[in-house]
Amino acid sequence: MKLNNKRTSHTITKLSLAFLILFSISVILLGLANPVLDERGSILFLSAFFCTGMPLLFLSATWLAYINRIYFSNIFVWIIFQLFFILIMIGNYYAPLSISLLFTTFLFVLFPLLIIVNFIYSYSNYASLKFIGFGSIGFIWVILIGWLFYGNLIEKMVLALTISNSNHNDLWIMHALMTITACIVIGGIASFFTETIKIFLLEWQEKDHT
Amino acid sequence: MNRLKINIFAFPKLTTALFWLAISALFLVIWMSLSPHLLFYVWPTITVLVILSIREFIMQPERNIHRFKFIPIGDNFPLLQKVVNEKARQLGLKRIPKLLLGEKQNTFYRMGSFRRWYIVVSSEKASLLETQLSNPEKAVLADLQILSVLYPFTASEYWMVGYLAILLKVTFYLVLWGAVFFVGWALLLILIKDSLVYLSSPDLITKVSSEMRPIWEQLSPLSNEFELLKVNDSTTLYFLLSIINIIVPCIALISFLWIFYYPIMLCIQQYYSDAGIAQTLKSTASFWTFFQYAQKLPSIVDLESRRSSFNRLQEWLQNILMGSFFPNAAERLNAIQNPDQVFYQWKQIARFLGTSALLLDMLFYLSGYLMYLANFTTMSIVIVIIFWSLPQIVMKKDVWKDCVIILAAIFGLRTTLAAFVLTILWGIYTVKPSFFEELITVQLYASARYAGTNIPTIIINGTDFLMASFLLNLQQMFLLFVASICFVMAYILLSTRALQWYGFFTTRYRFNIFNMIVIGVFIGLLLTFLILPEFGSGIFAIVGYLTLIVCGVLWIVFMDKRYYKKCPVCKSRIADIQKFDVTCANCQAKVLPWLVAQYETE
């Protein structure tokens, strides 16, 4: 049976949207109603949502990215996606606790999605080497410059993980840039191997790549 | 008019030799740059370089198609397609190149990878070619242009020239990437070294929550993991100089190869292409017709498309030292009439080699590996001289004197440069000895890729150091000069004699293989004795060399006895002849017929 991409993507989009709305409302309500729920109840509630919803959300997002790969091969869409990730990261750091859970959930989905988007862009534009090259340089130099600006990053990160009010710290840009560059490198490497195998095979078969 | 012309295809291909020399030089410099402490990275680096360059070379046509929006020609211009197919078959091409339509005006050039070939033509140019093809008087003009585009596909130098350009580009980018990435990585390690030790310190552990405290307490300091963490303020300079020492020779060699070497390869490829087309057409008439019509000749490179700012810089730099970048129509016509011109006159050879060696020496003086690289430069010079002298030997010219003059000029220049640098060092030492000692110490540590804290104290006696430098450098130059002269002379002697083994060299392939073996033996000896001295010692090596030399001499004596001056047909003795088209007086058989170019000249 041939898969109808259009219908599948419509269905998945609608299901994902429904899930996302339901989940967002639930999370916000949970945040607002936090005082009335005990700790164990909220953990169970969240676990149930994460276990059922997260895989679905991730799969639907991946599928959508794949179906709309033509858009993701555009540099502007690609840049907008990176900016969107930074915005989510800001939200994760600076939003009130009740909403920041939502942003954290988004981040869980966005990490792998970011790699997939980078892979799609890199593969469509033969940009894997640029991604690996600039991504790796960016990763190292972001840490280096961050260290020069903020001081001991290891200590700051350790403290951010362990001290209760450390969610509001100035490392959000570091985290965002490091994650973006790392995802660029990973997407680039995946794209490089796929591209290279394809290129060598097509060369062997004397077929055009385009 | 059927003048006697030498067949340039009878000799080992110059472009092939230049390609492998460039590849060897590039990999040698990478190896030298990373040795001794980073030798672990040599093979990964070379593997990455090879994969990336091959991948880029294969992708190049697609990039151009994508970038310049070329489209398949389809059913347009059927006459042009038909003639391209016919000419491709006439040249015996393995595959027919696909025609693509380009937007740029007056475009007509080829591009391709190993197994996919394309010809890009603009609509205007395709229309013009079709018009010319449909007119019997002007069809010869279109034919020549089509053959000029197609001919390079017949030989392996087509991919060699294209691949070398890509390899240089990829190496340049890889070196730049390596410089930026590893400088960042190393600076980061230097910056964080105290923090890595501090990571397990009691101060931090007290701040960690009680659940995580046992985990952090188990963390051991990471400082022992990294050699770079030993760098302190006083050795940071040495460390940075080490990185410069790795990068500078690579960039220097890539620049040299790109600016001077690559254009020479293109020029020689053009000469080969012209000679090949003349041999295919059995005449040079179409070249003259085209020249009279257009006042120029079709070339293998689309010169118009090479007018980027980088190409202009390349052309400008080459013009300063080497003369014109690409042979003009008159030079090409002259080379078709006199194919031995392809191998240049001795003055040009001396100028090219002298300039190249001098430039490389100057650039490599910046690194600590001049000795090895000087040997490689010498090897390259000798190989180029051999390739140049071979047609002269065939044409019975006296090349001994020219070879000695060329080698004397080159080594004279190199010795002068070495003496000049050492004189400057003497001057510095005389004026300010402390600065001289500091300079030498820094260079020594940097050359040793030394970045640790336990610096061994080096006490430099300036006078002794300079005296030893003078003696060793000048002695090295003299020894290299003598070795080069000896080898070139031995080669000339052997080749002159071997060229009269008429019964043996019945095909040009045998002659080529013979020459390649002789050059290979020379390279092997030089590599073993000079570049890899550790393999040159020991009784087994000496016994091996002696056995090889004895076997070689015995083989030469045997061949000489069997084939010297003997006709391959009637086995009678052939008298001395001062021409290269030898005919047996007894049976009138042509001896060494492959040495003569089979086409008529105007």
Side-chain angles (χ1 to χ4, degrees), chain B residues 46-297:
Chain B
I46 289 176
T47 310
V48 167
L49 203 55
V50 169
I51 291 173
L52 288 186
S53 51
I54 291 176
R55 181 181 180 274
E56 282 298 297
F57 179 63
I58 291 172
M59 278 179 70
Q60 191 72 2
E62 261 62 40
R63 278 191 200 283
N64 288 344
I65 291 169
H66 194 68
R67 190 173 160 200
F68 300 113
K69 298 183 173 56
F70 297 145
I71 49 167
I73 203 161
D75 295 331
N76 304 312
F77 310 107
L79 183 58
L80 178 65
Q81 293 201 50
K82 187 177 155 236
V83 175
V84 166
N85 291 356
E86 280 173 10
K87 296 291 172 199
R89 282 193 204 97
Q90 188 186 352
L91 290 170
L93 297 186
K94 288 178 192 164
R95 52 188 70 83
I96 311 270
K98 291 177 186 169
L99 280 164
L100 299 172
L101 269 182
E103 287 177 349
K104 203 174 165 187
Q105 283 186 343
N106 208 29
T107 300
F108 190 48
Y109 64 93
R110 71 182 195 292
M111 62 178 193
S113 55
F114 295 107
R115 295 166 72 92
R116 289 170 304 115
W117 299 344
Y118 303 93
I119 293 174
V120 182
V121 60
S122 64
S123 300
E124 293 86 352
K125 186 72 181 178
S127 304
L128 178 69
L129 286 170
E130 283 230 326
T131 315
Q132 288 177 341
L133 285 169
S134 50
N135 181 349
E137 285 179 8
K138 289 187 176 175
V140 67
L141 303 174
D143 281 351
L144 188 67
Q145 290 177 76
I146 293 166
L147 280 172
S148 296
V149 168
L150 286 175
Y151 189 81
F153 285 126
T154 57
S156 55
E157 72 241 29
Y158 151 68
W159 69 259
M160 286 179 181
V161 173
Y163 176 72
L164 185 64
I166 299 281
L167 181 68
L168 293 177
K169 194 175 94 174
V170 169
T171 315
F172 181 73
Y173 286 130
L174 194 68
V175 169
L176 277 189
W177 174 83
V180 180
F181 180 82
F182 285 108
V183 165
W185 169 246
L187 288 176
L188 184 66
L189 282 179
I190 294 169
L191 201 65
I192 68 172
K193 58 179 179 171
D194 296 331
S195 313
L196 286 177
V197 180
Y198 176 66
L199 198 64
S200 61
S201 71
D203 288 352
L204 189 66
I205 289 171
T206 52
K207 292 177 187 173
V208 175
S209 61
S210 56
E211 292 86 357
M212 295 188 75
R213 198 168 295 164
I215 301 167
W216 289 110
E217 278 172 350
Q218 285 171 15
L219 279 174
S220 58
L222 301 172
S223 55
N224 293 333
E225 301 282 329
F226 306 101
E227 183 70 17
L228 278 168
L229 298 178
K230 292 178 188 168
V231 174
N232 58 29
D233 291 342
S234 63
T235 54
T236 308
L237 175 68
Y238 303 146
F239 162 71
L240 289 173
L241 276 173
S242 302
I243 293 180
I244 292 170
N245 265 356
I246 292 172
I247 295 163
V248 166
C250 293
I251 298 284
L253 186 80
I254 293 165
S255 311
F256 167 76
L257 290 176
W258 177 247
I259 294 165
F260 301 109
Y261 200 88
Y262 185 69
I264 295 279
M265 280 185 79
L266 281 178
C267 295
I268 291 168
Q269 196 192 9
Q270 180 66 71
Y271 286 132
Y272 274 118
S273 174
D274 289 346
I277 293 169
Q279 291 200 10
T280 307
L281 298 172
K282 309 278 183 210
S283 155
T284 57
S286 50
F287 284 93
W288 288 99
T289 313
F290 195 96
F291 181 66
Q292 281 161 3
Y293 175 76
Q295 297 303 307
K296 62 176 185 178
L297 289 176

Side-chain angles (χ1 to χ4, degrees), chain A residues 119-190:
Chain A
F119 171 79
I120 291 170
Y121 179 80
S122 162
Y123 187 78
S124 315
N125 295 284
Y126 291 104
S128 57
L129 284 178
K130 283 180 191 162
F131 270 37
I132 297 170
F134 287 114
S136 54
I137 286 171
F139 187 77
I140 285 289
W141 281 88
V142 159
I143 301 173
L144 184 66
I145 293 166
W147 198 286
L148 289 171
F149 269 97
Y150 297 119
N152 192 334
L153 286 181
I154 297 174
E155 188 184 334
K156 277 188 184 290
M157 284 184 181
V158 168
L159 294 177
L161 283 171
T162 53
I163 296 170
S164 61
N165 65 350
S166 64
N167 219 15
H168 301 272
N169 60 53
D170 50 3
L171 288 180
W172 67 268
I173 185 71
M174 285 283 303
H175 272 158
L177 290 177
M178 280 168 69
T179 313
I180 286 175
T181 47
C183 289
I184 284 174
V185 173
I186 296 166
I189 290 171

Side-chain angles (χ1 to χ4, degrees), chain B residues 195-474:
Chain B
S195 313
L196 286 177
V197 180
Y198 176 66
L199 198 64
S200 61
S201 71
D203 288 352
L204 189 66
I205 289 171
T206 52
K207 292 177 187 173
V208 175
S209 61
S210 56
E211 292 86 357
M212 295 188 75
R213 198 168 295 164
I215 301 167
W216 289 110
E217 278 172 350
Q218 285 171 15
L219 279 174
S220 58
L222 301 172
S223 55
N224 293 333
E225 301 282 329
F226 306 101
E227 183 70 17
L228 278 168
L229 298 178
K230 292 178 188 168
V231 174
N232 58 29
D233 291 342
S234 63
T235 54
T236 308
L237 175 68
Y238 303 146
F239 162 71
L240 289 173
L241 276 173
S242 302
I243 293 180
I244 292 170
N245 265 356
I246 292 172
I247 295 163
V248 166
C250 293
I251 298 284
L253 186 80
I254 293 165
S255 311
F256 167 76
L257 290 176
W258 177 247
I259 294 165
F260 301 109
Y261 200 88
Y262 185 69
I264 295 279
M265 280 185 79
L266 281 178
C267 295
I268 291 168
Q269 196 192 9
Q270 180 66 71
Y271 286 132
Y272 274 118
S273 174
D274 289 346
I277 293 169
Q279 291 200 10
T280 307
L281 298 172
K282 309 278 183 210
S283 155
T284 57
S286 50
F287 284 93
W288 288 99
T289 313
F290 195 96
F291 181 66
Q292 281 161 3
Y293 175 76
Q295 297 303 307
K296 62 176 185 178
L297 289 176
S299 62
I300 55 160
V301 284
D302 184 15
L303 292 170
E304 293 305 314
S305 72
R306 294 172 57 82
R307 298 289 165 180
S308 67
S309 52
F310 196 69
N311 285 134
R312 276 202 292 273
L313 174 71
Q314 182 191 29
E315 204 173 319
W316 178 74
L317 283 168
Q318 225 230 350
N319 269 328
I320 292 173
L321 288 160
M322 296 299 303
S324 66
F325 156 67
F326 206 74
N328 58 34
E331 286 168 331
R332 284 171 58 190
L333 286 170
N334 184 34
I336 301 169
Q337 306 280 83
N338 308 292
D340 54 302
Q341 296 290 315
V342 172
F343 298 92
Y344 295 102
Q345 298 297 323
W346 73 266
K347 281 179 187 168
Q348 285 170 291
I349 293 286
R351 194 170 58 160
F352 169 64
L353 292 179
T355 315
S356 311
L358 204 63
L359 267 171
L360 285 178
D361 281 359
M362 280 165 75
L363 293 167
F364 293 142
Y365 267 121
L366 294 169
S367 72
Y369 302 108
L370 182 70
M371 197 181 97
Y372 296 123
L373 294 167
N375 293 335
F376 184 79
T377 315
T378 308
M379 186 178 84
S380 310
I381 289 167
V382 170
I383 289 171
V384 173
I385 289 177
I386 284 171
F387 272 84
W388 166 77
S389 65
L390 198 53
Q392 322 293 327
I393 297 167
V394 168
M395 293 173 79
K396 317 279 182 187
K397 288 183 184 171
D398 195 7
V399 285
W400 298 72
K401 204 175 131 192
D402 290 346
C403 286
V404 173
I405 294 172
I406 291 171
L407 285 170
I410 293 162
F411 281 95
L413 279 170
R414 295 177 74 187
T415 311
T416 312
L417 177 70
F420 178 69
V421 172
L422 288 165
T423 311
I424 289 175
L425 287 178
W426 264 113
I428 294 170
Y429 179 64
T430 314
V431 175
K432 202 172 180 185
S434 59
F435 178 69
F436 170 79
E437 280 168 19
E438 198 178 331
L439 192 76
I440 296 297
T441 313
V442 167
Q443 184 57 30
L444 282 174
Y445 286 139
S447 304
R449 310 276 185 268
Y450 191 79
T453 46
N454 304 318
I455 302 171
T457 313
I458 300 174
I459 300 164
I460 296 169
N461 182 327
T463 316
D464 291 350
F465 179 86
L466 283 167
M467 279 306 291
S469 303
F470 251 109
L471 286 173
L472 284 173
N473 276 284
L474 299 181

